[in-house]
């Protein structure tokens, strides 16, 4: 079973993502911000990360930059999940090591499609 870390400061978004991803046969862990996510990755590196951009303590961009420098941090497929839809934000996410991105709000079809594009399903 593949392991996915859902990183978002919204408990509602984490719950919706968990429900969708568990239905896709992923084992799920959650983090409320980038700091918790780094701690989780240090304990067990996930196969996939669904990552919010705007969070307190450490945003998604800073988390991703630090993740990619960690031992094994190049392995997880990272899908940014954000309300930021301008080209500059998308380019910054992809340049920092994101594999794909989805816009909020999302649904099962969008997540399935994006995870499929990066080879997770």
């Amino acid at each position: 079973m593949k392991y996915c870390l859902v990183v978002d400061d919204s408990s509602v978004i984490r719950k919706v993502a968990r429900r969708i991803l568990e239905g896709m046969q992923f084992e799920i862990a959650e983090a409320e911000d980038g700091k918790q996510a780094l701690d989780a990755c240090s304990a067990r590196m996930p196969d996939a990360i669904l990552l919010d951009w705007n969070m307190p303590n450490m945003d998604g961009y800073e988390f991703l930059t630090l993740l990619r420098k960690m031992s094994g941090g190049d392995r997880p497929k990272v899908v940014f999940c954000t309300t930021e839809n301008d080209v500059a934000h998308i380019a910054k996410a992809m340049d920092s090591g994101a594999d794909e991105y989805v816009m909020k709000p999302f649904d099962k079809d969008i997540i399935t499609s994006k995870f499929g594009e990066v080879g997770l399903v």
Side-chain angles (χ1 to χ4, degrees):
M1 182 175 281
K2 289 187 177 162
Y3 171 56
C4 182
L5 178 62
V6 177
V7 186
D8 200 298
D9 57 324
S10 166
S11 62
V12 172
I13 295 294
R14 291 193 313 271
K15 184 176 184 175
V16 169
R18 172 183 283 276
R19 187 173 299 133
I20 291 169
L21 291 164
E22 285 178 342
M24 296 167 59
Q25 305 306 306
F26 279 89
E27 178 185 350
I28 305 299
E30 298 180 17
E32 294 181 13
D33 60 38
K35 170 122 179 50
Q36 285 184 7
L38 279 179
D39 292 344
C41 290
S42 293
R44 180 181 177 196
M45 192 62 70
D47 299 298
I49 300 172
L50 186 62
L51 178 63
D52 186 22
W53 184 289
N54 296 309
M55 298 176 290
N57 302 320
M58 182 187 296
D59 67 20
Y61 175 74
E62 185 179 355
F63 162 78
L64 185 54
T65 301
L66 294 171
L67 170 75
R68 292 304 194 207
K69 294 177 183 177
M70 292 174 69
S71 175
D74 58 332
R75 286 195 322 262
K77 296 294 186 183
V78 177
V79 177
F80 255 113
C81 178
T82 183
T83 57
E84 303 291 346
N85 64 357
D86 62 271
V87 174
H89 274 93
I90 294 166
K92 186 175 180 180
M94 302 308 276
D95 289 345
S96 67
D99 295 285
E100 199 43 91
Y101 68 92
V102 297
M103 300 304 302
K104 291 179 184 173
F106 56 83
D107 60 20
K108 181 182 178 196
D109 291 341
I110 292 168
I111 296 293
T112 302
S113 172
K114 294 295 184 172
F115 273 51
E117 287 177 28
V118 298
L120 288 165
V121 291

